[in-house]
C-alpha cells in the first residue's frame, strides 16, 4: 500500500510543482499598453529579427505568416532598418552582441539580409554570432553561399522529421530526401554551427520513427538538435485535426521526450536547454534564449531591463507604425519578486540555476528566497544541488518540458490578447 501511495503522492507533488511554476510565471507577466521606452535601458543587447514570410502556412504553426512577395518584402526590409534606427537613439554607446533571424522563413529573403546586417554595423557595431532559421526547400548552393558570404555563421534548419510519411502528415511540402540533402549541404557549407529542429509527437509518428530521426541527425554530425513538443492552440489547423486525441498525445509526448533525452545524452550530446541538445556547449543560442535581446519586426518580442516587449503583430500595421515610432504594442514590466521567478524559470529552462548568479543579480540567496519550492523539487526528485547550481534531474527535465509548454501556450494567448491579435479560429 505504501508503494502505491508513494507513487501517487510523488506524481501529485510533481504535477503541483509544475502547475505552480507555470501559473506563477504567467501571473507575473501582465501586459500594459502604457509604453514608455525612455524608462528602459540596456547595454549590448542581442537582436531577434522576425521575418514574417513563409512559402505556406504549416497546420501546426502558432503564428499566421504572410506569403512571400518581393515588393512587400522590400517594404519590410526598409521598415526593419527604420526600427533599428529608432532604437539606436535609445541605446547609444552599445554594440549588438548576437543576431538571430527568426521566422516565418528568413531564408526567403536571403538576398536582403546583407542590407539589414550592414545597417546594424553602421548603427551599433557588432561583436557576436549571426544565426538564421531556414526551410530545407531554400537550401540550394546559391542560397547557402549567399548566407555565408553575408556573414551568417550559424544555421538552424526546420526539418521537423526525416520521415516522408510524417512530413506529409504535418503538411511539409518536401520529402525525406530533400531534408537529408539540406542538412548535408549545410554541414559542408562553411557554417560554424548547424542545428536542426525536430518535433514530437506528430501525426503518423511512432516512437520507432522518432528514434530513426534522432539516429539520422547524429549520423549527419549536426552540432545541435532541438526537439520541440507539438503545441495545439485552438486557432491552428492541427488542433482541429487532433483535439479528440489529446489524451493519447500527452502520454506519447512523455514517452518520446524521455527517449530523446536518454538517446542524445548517451551518444554524447549535452543538454543545452530542456528542448535542445548540443556537442558544442556555449556556442549557440536560440532566438529567445539571450539574457537581453530586442525584438525587431512584426510580432517580434524581446526581454530587456526586466521588461517583456512585444511589437505590433500585423505586417501592415507595422509598416505604418514604424514610420512614426518604435512599433511596440504591449509591454510587461517585472520587478522584485516577479523578476526573480522569471529569472528562475528562464534559468531552469537551461537545466540549472546558479546560486552565485542569483545572488549577484538580486542580493539574496537562491536557496533562501525559494526555500520551500526548492525543498519540494528535491523531495520529489525533480532537482538536486550540484556544487553552485540547482540542477534538474532526468525526471526534472521531463517535468520542465511539460511546465515550459504550459508557459509558452499561456504566454502566447496573453500576447494575442494584449496586442489585439486574434488568429482565425
Amino acid at each position: 500500500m505504501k508503494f502505491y501511495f508513494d507513487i501517487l503522492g510523488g506524481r501529485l507533488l510533481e504535477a503541483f510543482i509544475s502547475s505552480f511554476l507555470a501559473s506563477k510565471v504567467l501571473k507575473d507577466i501582465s501586459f500594459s499598453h502604457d509604453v514608455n521606452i525612455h524608462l528602459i535601458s540596456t547595454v549590448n543587447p542581442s537582436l531577434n529579427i522576425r521575418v514574417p514570410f513563409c512559402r505556406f502556412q504549416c497546420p501546426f504553426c502558432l503564428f499566421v505568416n504572410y506569403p512571400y512577395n518581393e515588393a512587400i518584402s522590400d517594404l519590410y526590409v526598409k521598415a526593419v532598418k527604420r526600427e533599428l534606427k529608432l532604437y539606436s537613439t535609445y541605446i547609444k554607446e552599445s554594440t549588438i552582441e548576437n543576431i538571430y533571424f527568426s521566422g516565418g522563413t528568413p531564408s526567403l529573403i536571403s538576398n536582403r539580409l546583407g542590407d539589414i546586417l550592414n545597417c546594424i554595423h553602421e548603427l551599433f557595431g557588432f561583436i557576436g554570432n549571426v544565426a538564421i532559421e531556414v526551410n530545407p526547400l531554400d537550401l540550394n548552393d546559391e542560397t547557402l553561399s549567399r548566407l555565408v558570404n553575408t556573414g551568417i555563421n550559424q544555421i538552424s534548419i526546420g526539418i521537423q522529421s526525416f520521415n516522408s510519411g510524417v512530413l506529409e502528415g504535418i503538411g511539409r511540402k518536401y520529402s525525406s530526401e530533400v531534408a537529408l540533402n539540406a542538412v548535408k549541404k549545410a554541414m559542408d557549407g562553411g557554417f560554424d554551427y548547424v542545428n536542426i529542429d525536430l518535433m514530437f509527437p506528430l501525426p503518423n509518428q511512432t516512437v520507432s520513427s522518432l528514434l530513426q530521426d534522432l539516429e539520422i541527425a547524429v549520423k549527419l554530425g549536426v552540432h545541435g538538435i532541438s526537439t520541440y513538443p507539438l503545441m495545439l492552440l485552438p486557432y491552428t489547423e492541427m488542433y482541429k485535426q487532433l483535439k479528440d486525441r489529446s489524451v493519447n498525445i500527452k502520454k506519447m509526448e512523455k514517452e518520446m521526450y524521455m527517449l530523446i533525452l536518454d538517446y542524445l545524452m548517451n551518444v554524447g550530446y549535452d543538454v543545452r536547454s530542456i528542448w535542445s541538445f548540443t556537442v558544442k556547449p556555449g556556442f549557440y543560442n536560440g532566438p529567445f534564449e539571450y539574457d537581453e535581446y530586442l525584438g525587431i519586426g512584426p510580432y517580434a518580442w524581446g526581454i530587456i531591463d526586466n521588461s517583456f516587449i512585444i511589437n505590433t503583430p500585423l505586417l501592415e500595421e507595422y509598416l505604418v507604425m514604424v514610420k512614426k515610432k518604435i512599433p511596440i504594442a504591449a509591454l510587461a514590466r517585472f520587478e522584485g519578486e516577479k523578476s526573480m521567478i522569471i529569472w528562475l524559470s528562464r534559468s531552469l529552462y537551461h537545466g540549472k540555476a546558479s546560486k552565485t548568479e542569483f545572488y549577484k543579480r538580486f542580493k539574496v540567496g537562491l536557496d533562501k528566497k525559494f526555500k520551500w519550492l526548492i525543498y519540494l523539487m528535491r523531495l520529489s526528485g525533480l532537482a538536486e544541488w550540484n556544487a553552485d547550481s540547482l540542477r534538474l534531474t532526468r525526471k526534472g527535465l521531463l517535468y520542465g518540458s511539460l511546465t515550459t509548454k504550459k508557459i509558452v501556450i499561456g504566454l502566447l494567448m496573453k500576447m494575442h490578447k494584449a496586442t489585439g491579435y486574434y488568429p482565425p479560429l
Side-chain angles (χ1 to χ4, degrees):
M1 187 71 176
K2 183 178 183 300
F3 171 76
Y4 292 107
F5 178 79
D6 287 345
I7 293 176
L8 179 61
R11 288 178 179 172
L12 288 173
L13 182 55
E14 292 153 1
F16 167 78
I17 294 169
S18 175
S19 296
F20 170 79
L21 271 174
S23 61
K24 180 65 174 169
V25 169
L26 290 170
K27 181 181 178 182
D28 286 348
I29 300 177
S30 179
F31 290 105
S32 167
H33 299 289
D34 183 18
V35 177
N36 190 344
I37 194 69
H38 298 278
L39 300 179
I40 297 171
S41 64
T42 185
V43 177
N44 301 342
S46 294
L47 297 179
N48 165 36
I49 303 175
R50 183 172 183 271
V51 180
F53 305 109
C54 280
R55 289 175 177 268
F56 45 83
Q57 182 72 28
C58 293
F60 57 81
C61 189
L62 303 176
F63 298 94
V64 176
N65 293 296
Y66 297 83
Y68 173 73
N69 174 286
E70 185 175 356
I72 296 177
S73 71
D74 286 344
L75 293 175
Y76 160 81
V77 170
K78 291 176 182 177
V80 163
K81 291 163 69 174
R82 193 173 292 117
E83 184 180 3
L84 289 166
K85 176 68 174 177
L86 289 170
Y87 267 118
S88 70
T89 63
Y90 293 102
I91 51 174
K92 296 175 181 178
E93 300 179 3
S94 273
T95 57
I96 296 301
E97 193 163 283
N98 295 287
I99 300 168
Y100 201 109
F101 290 100
S102 65
T105 309
S107 48
L108 285 173
I109 63 165
S110 61
N111 62 326
R112 300 301 309 275
L113 298 178
D115 293 343
I116 296 173
L117 290 174
N118 288 337
C119 178
I120 293 169
H121 278 286
E122 292 171 7
L123 292 173
F124 305 100
F126 174 64
I127 57 177
N129 296 309
V130 185
I132 187 172
E133 295 175 352
V134 300
N135 186 305
L137 289 169
D138 297 329
L139 290 190
N140 54 50
D141 292 337
E142 180 183 355
T143 298
L144 284 166
S145 178
R146 183 186 295 127
L147 292 176
V148 172
N149 291 335
T150 298
I152 294 170
N153 66 311
Q154 300 181 341
I155 189 170
S156 183
I157 312 170
I159 297 294
Q160 317 315 345
S161 176
F162 290 105
N163 184 292
S164 291
V166 175
L167 290 170
E168 182 179 355
I170 59 172
R172 299 292 277 184
K173 302 184 186 303
Y174 52 84
S175 65
S176 172
E177 183 179 1
V178 170
L180 281 167
N181 287 336
V183 179
K184 290 176 182 177
K185 284 179 177 290
M187 290 298 297
D188 294 333
F191 297 97
D192 297 333
Y193 195 99
V194 177
N195 184 78
I196 67 166
D197 289 348
L198 299 175
M199 290 181 65
F200 71 100
L202 297 171
N204 303 335
Q205 188 180 53
T206 64
V207 171
S208 177
S209 67
L210 174 60
L211 178 58
Q212 290 175 353
D213 283 344
L214 296 171
E215 290 172 341
I216 290 170
V218 171
K219 187 175 181 180
L220 289 168
V222 295
H223 308 114
I225 303 172
S226 297
T227 55
Y228 296 112
L230 178 65
M231 300 188 194
L232 296 174
L233 271 69
Y235 55 82
T236 62
E237 186 62 33
M238 194 157 287
Y239 173 85
K240 301 167 189 175
Q241 298 172 10
L242 301 179
K243 60 182 178 181
D244 295 332
R245 294 166 50 189
S246 60
V247 174
N248 291 334
I249 289 172
K250 288 179 182 178
K251 182 179 178 181
M252 188 178 290
E253 181 180 328
K254 293 180 181 179
E255 182 180 359
M256 287 184 167
Y257 182 81
M258 297 313 293
L259 166 70
I260 292 165
L261 180 63
D262 291 341
Y263 176 77
L264 290 179
M265 292 188 71
N266 285 338
V267 298
Y269 282 75
D270 291 334
V271 175
R272 188 180 66 76
S273 75
I274 281 173
W275 292 332
S276 297
F277 305 84
T278 184
V279 291
K280 295 177 74 172
F283 196 75
Y284 171 85
N285 285 299
F288 317 120
E289 297 172 2
Y290 303 113
D291 186 30
E292 293 212 332
Y293 64 97
L294 294 170
I296 304 295
Y299 221 177
W301 60 87
I303 297 178
I304 56 170
D305 194 22
N306 290 322
S307 298
F308 190 114
I309 301 173
I310 317 171
N311 274 1
T312 188
L314 300 177
L315 177 58
E316 52 270 33
E317 291 181 1
Y318 173 79
L319 296 176
V320 173
M321 192 172 177
V322 78
K323 294 178 180 179
K324 302 176 182 178
K325 60 180 181 179
I326 296 176
I328 298 173
L331 179 149
R333 185 89 175 153
F334 28 85
E335 297 174 321
E337 291 194 8
K338 290 183 179 181
S339 182
M340 294 179 189
I341 195 70
I342 298 295
W343 181 92
L344 179 63
S345 66
R346 294 188 76 200
S347 296
L348 291 179
Y349 175 71
H350 293 280
K352 62 183 180 180
S354 165
K355 288 195 289 186
T356 300
E357 287 299 316
F358 187 84
Y359 187 84
K360 183 192 296 185
R361 186 175 292 238
F362 301 109
K363 305 305 181 212
V364 64
L366 175 64
D367 47 352
K368 180 179 180 180
K369 184 61 191 176
F370 294 107
K371 177 180 178 180
W372 284 105
L373 176 60
I374 292 173
Y375 171 76
L376 292 176
M377 291 178 71
R378 296 177 66 202
L379 179 66
S380 59
L382 298 179
E384 58 190 15
W385 287 113
N386 187 319
D388 176 62
S389 296
L390 180 72
R391 289 182 177 266
L392 296 180
T393 61
R394 177 177 178 272
K395 181 167 69 170
L397 289 167
L398 168 63
Y399 277 88
S401 174
L402 299 174
T403 304
T404 302
K405 182 175 174 178
K406 292 177 187 176
I407 292 172
V408 170
I409 291 174
L411 182 57
L412 283 172
M413 298 308 289
K414 291 188 78 167
M415 288 167 57
H416 294 342
K417 184 177 181 181
T419 60
Y421 173 75
Y422 293 98
L425 294 174

